[in-house]
Amino acid sequence: MRAESPRIGYVVKRYPRFSETFIVNEILAHEAAGLDLEVFALYPPNDTHFQDAIARVRAPVTYLTADGLRAADLWGAIQQAGADVPGLWSRLELARGSEARAVYQGALLAREVRRRGITNLHAHFATVAAEVARLAAGWSGIPYTVTAHAKDIFHESVTAVGLRRVLGDAAHVVTVSDHNVEYLTSDVGLDARSVRRLYNGIDLARFAWQAPAPGGPPHIIFVGRFVEKKGLPDLIEACAVLRARGVDHRCTLVGGGPLESTLRALVEARGLGDTVHFAGPRPQAEVIAMVGQAAVFAAPCRVAQDGDRDGLPTVLLEAMALGTPVVATDVVGIPEVVRHGETGLLVPERDADALAVALTQLLVTPSLRLRLSTGARALMEQSFDVVTNAAALRDVFAAGRPARHLARAS
């Protein structure tokens, strides 16, 4: 039976994750609006650093762990779910083709849906989280929705058939850029009526705008994981170009990741040890201060060899909200936000020379920094306020209809 008030179950692969602050911001905005929700994670956290905002989340977290899963565990979970969830046995067909782990976690989640009066499930990322939500929603007779991002739809391991499987039955699919909407409807073949663009929201009160200092230090900053799609070799090569041209600057790389040793070797090879600084991961409050004091924020994103790419980097949006002028590349949804000459400067991916030219423009032209900073903040207030965007997502939850696969499976 459906509860009178909505009670949303967020389904994620891991919780919490250092790099997924957009999920935490979204949950906090829902809680501030009085929405009742719980978090269900398929794996425990494996990061060593966490954002301080996570401590403000009140929603209980349940881990649907499946380590060392045995056949007896799977069968036992299905039996228990079948006893608690009316109609589950008649809908087992929904699991045809699913991996055993997802079926197990779906059975656990279906029981929790029933026991806790969850009215809607919402999965972040069109991966195993969406598959588990699909199964649990179908078995328990409630709608599910999914937010699709970038790696989960563009990576080379992802197929259109697989996406249609986890997204095609969703009451609604939300995704983070118009570029993604076009791909999901035209290339994947999802029903355009069920796919909606909704940008990740930013806590604009926390990321307060400050005008760029006209005579500030020529400081370039990058924040993010050291992985191929971030394009850091292009930024380091651009710094080498700046040095060769006599452009005064220093560059700070905040974060860490598997390419760190490779990047350090490149900095050494280009003789930039006194110019490019590795700051390591930093707490969010410290990152906000560092980005706010920088002259330029660089987001040299690229499409990785395996197809992985950024949809619309949250840290780029945060820099724009803070008023730090940005240079970014024209990949995926970034041009929707970084409008060349209006809210930032846009350059082609993998083009260190073009990146160096844009960085130079911003470093030596205070009036350009102020104009782009003002335009960026206006766009953030217009389209990226987390309070407004979370409210729009709640409207999506409210419009959710019973899972479409119920009719086929009953």
Side-chain angles (χ1 to χ4, degrees), residues 98-121:
S98 299
E99 294 186 2
R101 185 184 184 99
V103 174
Y104 174 74
Q105 292 174 313
L108 296 182
L109 181 55
R111 287 189 75 204
E112 297 304 321
V113 165
R114 183 70 179 177
R115 291 170 57 190
R116 305 185 189 204
I118 301 292
T119 58
N120 305 63
L121 291 174

Side-chain angles (χ1 to χ4, degrees), residues 3 18 53-54 140 145 152 186 205-206 256 279 289 291 294 308 317 336 348 380 392:
F18 183 83
I54 290 169
S140 53
T145 50
D152 53 333
S186 297
R206 189 171 196 201
V291 172
D308 190 13
L317 307 177
E336 296 173 31
M380 292 301 102

Side-chain angles (χ1 to χ4, degrees), residues 282-302:
R282 288 287 185 271
Q284 189 176 43
E286 191 173 331
V287 172
I288 291 172
M290 295 172 73
V291 172
Q293 294 166 4
V296 183
F297 181 89
C301 304
R302 57 164 67 168

